[in-house]
Amino acid sequence: MITLNNISKNFGSFKALKNIDLEVRDGEFLALLGPSGSGKTTLLRIIAGLAFPDAGNVAFNGDDVTNLKVADRKVGFVFQHYALFKHMSVADNVGFGLSVRARAMRPSKAAIRARADELLDLVQLGGLGGRYPAQLSGGQRQRVALARALAVEPQLLLLDEPFGALDAKVRKELRRWLRQLHEQMGLTSIFVTHDQEEALELADRVVVMDHGVIEQIGTPGEVYMLPGSRFVSGFVGDTNSLPVTVSRGAVKFHDRPIALDTGSIADGPALLDFRPHDVEIANEQPGCLPLVVTGAYRRGGYWRVEGTVGGISQVIEVDLDAANPAPEPGQRLALRIRRGRLFTTDGVQA
Amino acid sequence: MGLTLAWLSLIVLIPLSTVFIRAAGLGVSEFIEVGFSSRAIAAYKVSFGTALAAALVNAVFGMVVAWVFVRYEFPGKRIFDALIDLPFALPTAVAGIALTAIYAGNGWVGQFLEPLGIKVAYNPIGITIALIFIGLPFIVRSVEPVLADLSAEVEEAALSLGATPVQVFVRIILPSILPALLTGFALALARGVGEYGSVIFIAGNMPFKSEIAPLLIVTQLEQYSYAGATAIAVVMLLISFAMLLFINLAQAWSRRRVDA
């Protein structure tokens, strides 16, 4: 188990991390999700021992490792841009971690080579050990980087935007494959990403970060369905946000009542967030949102409709079943919001 | 291709060939007598020895300088960066006079070294120092872009795999910059072998001790012995060519491993 206790880190006057507490369970696949500048990579580097916190401590299975260097932490680290050793063959890259061991603990050359070949088979690159990194594709290079990290049998695998430099198709394949590998090898893995789809698809739990603080920790389902703050709601998945007013248990958008349960939110201005798929077409009933269509395109089995509602400038996106005829620009749709979440205007959940 | 060859011929090959044609005007015995006189051989030793020593010193310290420029930020970095190129721009005679003034027995530095029994000026050590000065930018400017290209991530990857800082340098950094380092080394060496202006002031030009081969050529010219001058030039050319060829081969070997 990895325990982070009250971690803070500054770069000059920039507060990269503010009082972070986090527990990572054994065997867990954890995603650190956030926009750039949210502190997620800094946090990963602190866990690795590539960076050190200004305050707080890091413990692995109860042992304080805060001041331990990366070489002594037994972690595998995979970089976004692979960071392969260009002048070494693929097999030498994979075997590097074993070949730099102190003489007494170093396996023989043949044993290192055999282990490298074994790992290359594992990452489905068997037979490519004699090549050089420049001769491989991006996806292959990242798998070499992974095999190299696994060669030293780390207790913890850390991945910094591991799919960031790859094209969409390779990324998807590699994601699925990494998930399998994680389970097969019984690893504890933490990966950093800014791609919410990747985090939701891959992780057991997602840590959503912004401006150096953790906004929410939860399963992908919790983070998506029950966002704990306006930021999480907006960052994880597509979201529409309407400025509304709440008074005496009723929600109003520009004097038009919206049929929704207000929960415990106090009276006054608020923000109503709803997902594009949480709407349905209604027949001009009270409590509906009138949408003027500006465009629509097919997204798999549904129409993604873009439109405007009176009073606000931002585009509203909703999804309609593809069984409907294609919405035409200028068409008016009455939408009923099936599910939405209300936030106070400072972003806190009601 | 044709244009390149024509240009190369005009600028390099034709002038060099005249050296050989001129030298061919001498008979074999006469050629050996001038080109391999004991004084000439001593001069070759001084020239190539000091150039090699200077290039080696530069390879080490030039690499350190390049490293600091690439990896660290410090006040005045841009000014220091510009200073590196100064040996390129300075008339070499100026550098020679300046160095002599500093290292002569009564100079700023020389007055402290003299009592220790270290005589720099009018000595091969002086020549080496002048050549270090002249050769530094070659190494720094060759290695700098390659080091900049070598991401810190690669070092961190090696460290995370358990490598010590020494192992990171020997097994990761050095092999990566070796081709560029060899390029810089070859350029510094070649420049050192041919250097004249900065050396003659500090060398003292004592035959058999601190007389460089280029000076010997000038001496021959001053005696209107053009054929004699070209004989020495031919010997120098051949040695230089052999050395550069060897360095190029070593470089091709090291590069093949990086870019394969």
Side-chain angles (χ1 to χ4, degrees):
Chain A
M1 190 167 73
I2 292 136
T3 318
L4 302 183
N5 184 12
N6 206 18
I7 297 281
S8 293
K9 174 80 178 174
N10 302 329
F11 294 111
S13 61
F14 175 69
K15 293 187 188 326
L17 293 172
K18 301 169 204 164
N19 309 96
I20 298 283
D21 289 312
L22 180 65
E23 270 190 7
V24 187
R25 301 165 194 153
D26 285 337
E28 186 168 41
F29 206 149
L30 189 83
L32 300 178
L33 174 67
S36 51
S38 60
K40 57 192 191 301
T41 295
T42 306
L43 190 61
L44 191 78
R45 291 172 59 84
I46 285 173
I47 297 171
L50 290 169
F52 296 91
D54 296 332
N57 55 56
V58 184
F60 288 1
N61 299 321
D63 300 329
D64 192 324
V65 296
T66 313
N67 298 315
L68 229 50
K69 287 198 193 109
V70 61
D72 304 320
R73 286 200 194 182
K74 285 208 85 174
V75 297
F77 202 100
V78 175
F79 295 85
Q80 180 177 3
H81 299 288
Y82 330 126
L84 294 179
F85 310 133
K86 283 191 259 179
H87 61 284
M88 289 184 198
S89 71
V90 166
D92 287 345
N93 264 279
V94 176
F96 183 83
L98 298 173
S99 72
V100 294
R101 284 192 180 164
R103 196 173 296 268
M105 294 162 63
R106 194 189 311 155
S108 71
K109 272 204 170 127
I112 292 175
R113 179 66 208 233
R115 177 77 182 130
D117 284 341
E118 204 177 296
L119 282 160
L120 284 172
D121 281 339
L122 180 74
V123 299
Q124 297 162 1
L125 292 175
L128 297 187
R131 299 231 186 141
Y132 282 83
Q135 297 168 312
L136 302 180
S137 71
Q140 290 175 323
R141 285 183 211 181
Q142 195 56 296
R143 280 186 279 168
V144 173
L146 199 63
R148 182 178 67 178
L150 294 175
V152 292
E153 290 168 8
Q155 52 176 325
L156 177 64
L157 186 62
L158 304 170
L159 307 106
D160 185 9
E161 302 257 5
F163 314 114
L166 302 170
D167 61 62
K169 189 163 180 290
V170 179
R171 198 182 308 174
K172 207 169 167 82
E173 275 174 23
L174 211 54
R175 246 190 245 168
R176 194 174 302 138
W177 170 83
L178 180 65
R179 176 77 227 192
Q180 274 175 9
L181 193 77
H182 166 84
E183 264 151 39
Q184 192 184 330
M185 300 196 62
L187 292 163
T188 303
S189 310
I190 305 175
F191 75 105
V192 157
T193 182
H194 63 265
D195 180 348
Q196 41 96 12
E197 203 181 308
E198 197 166 282
L200 297 183
E201 181 184 318
L202 215 50
D204 296 321
R205 284 198 306 158
V206 179
V207 177
V208 187
M209 297 183 67
D210 188 38
H211 289 113
V213 298
I214 293 178
E215 289 274 338
Q216 188 173 358
I217 305 176
T219 64
E222 285 166 354
V223 169
Y224 186 80
M225 298 301 284
L226 303 167
S229 70
R230 212 351 250 144
F231 172 79
V232 177
S233 167
F235 191 74
V236 180
D238 294 335
T239 297
N240 300 296
S241 196
L242 293 178
V244 293
T245 32
V246 176
S247 72
R248 276 171 282 127
V251 182
K252 279 186 175 173
F253 171 65
H254 289 276
D255 295 330
R256 189 182 281 268
I258 306 275
L260 262 185
D261 182 15
T262 57
S264 60
I265 192 164
D267 284 4
L271 290 168
L272 167 61
D273 278 20
F274 63 97
R275 305 283 187 197
H277 52 76
D278 283 338
V279 297
E280 60 194 4
I281 295 185
N283 299 318
E284 288 293 352
Q285 296 164 345
C288 282
L289 189 70
L291 183 86
V292 180
V293 176
T294 55
Y297 56 93
R298 186 181 271 280
R299 250 192 169 189
Y302 57 87
W303 297 108
R304 169 58 59 92
V305 183
E306 292 173 352
T308 54
V309 294
I312 57 166
S313 58
Q314 87 217 50
V315 174
I316 299 293
E317 294 179 317
V318 296
D319 294 340
L320 298 177
D321 197 299
N324 292 303
E328 296 292 331
Q331 192 181 340
R332 293 175 72 88
L333 297 172
L335 300 173
R336 194 174 78 77
I337 298 170
R338 280 190 303 216
R339 181 212 303 268
R341 285 177 78 76
L342 286 163
F343 297 95
T344 59
T345 44
D346 57 9
V348 181
Q349 202 224 323
Chain B
M1 177 74 182
L3 190 70
T4 311
L5 277 183
W7 181 249
L8 215 71
S9 305
L10 197 67
I11 300 294
V12 181
L13 290 178
I14 294 175
L16 283 186
S17 64
T18 55
V19 172
F20 284 88
I21 293 165
R22 276 281 193 160
L26 292 169
V28 174
S29 61
E30 213 178 341
F31 179 89
I32 290 172
E33 195 181 309
V34 184
F36 293 95
S37 66
S38 54
R39 186 173 167 187
I41 288 172
Y44 299 142
K45 279 184 187 160
V46 171
S47 270
F48 287 100
T50 53
L52 200 64
L56 283 171
V57 170
N58 270 332
V60 175
F61 288 96
M63 191 165 63
V64 174
V65 170
W67 178 264
V68 170
F69 274 125
V70 169
R71 285 293 152 89
Y72 296 95
E73 288 302 325
F74 50 89
K77 179 169 162 177
R78 282 171 174 278
I79 294 171
F80 281 109
D81 198 47
L83 279 176
I84 296 284
D85 289 328
L86 224 50
F88 275 148
L90 207 64
T92 50
V94 176
I97 292 166
L99 288 171
T100 312
I102 290 171
Y103 288 106
N106 54 0
W108 282 0
V109 179
Q111 61 179 324
F112 299 110
L113 293 176
E114 196 100 317
L116 301 172
I118 303 167
K119 211 166 164 322
V120 176
Y122 318 124
N123 208 313
I125 298 176
I127 302 176
T128 307
I129 285 175
L131 295 182
I132 291 170
F133 175 81
I134 293 297
L136 181 67
F138 290 101
I139 305 275
V140 176
R141 292 296 178 232
S142 310
V143 172
E144 216 176 2
V146 184
L147 269 181
D149 202 38
L150 189 69
S151 71
E153 282 191 353
V154 172
E155 284 163 55
E156 288 178 346
L159 289 171
S160 78
L161 292 166
T164 63
V166 174
Q167 283 171 324
V168 172
F169 179 77
V170 173
R171 299 206 34 199
I172 307 296
I173 296 169
L174 202 58
S176 303
I177 63 172
L178 195 61
L181 193 62
L182 283 171
T183 303
F185 181 79
L187 289 170
L189 181 67
R191 176 67 196 265
V193 168
E195 181 57 25
Y196 179 74
S198 62
V199 174
I200 49 164
F201 291 97
I202 202 167
N205 309 322
M206 284 170 275
F208 298 103
K209 190 182 168 204
S210 62
E211 186 178 53
I212 56 169
L215 182 74
L216 212 56
I217 295 174
V218 174
T219 312
Q220 292 281 337
L221 288 177
E222 278 169 352
Q223 295 162 4
Y224 301 104
S225 168
Y226 292 112
T230 52
I232 298 168
V234 163
V235 176
M236 280 195 80
L237 259 176
L238 290 176
I239 300 174
S240 298
F241 186 74
M243 279 193 329
L244 291 178
L245 189 68
F246 175 75
I247 293 171
N248 267 320
L249 287 175
Q251 204 184 351
W253 171 79
S254 63
R255 198 178 294 270
R256 184 175 52 84
R257 294 179 16 140
V258 177
D259 299 338

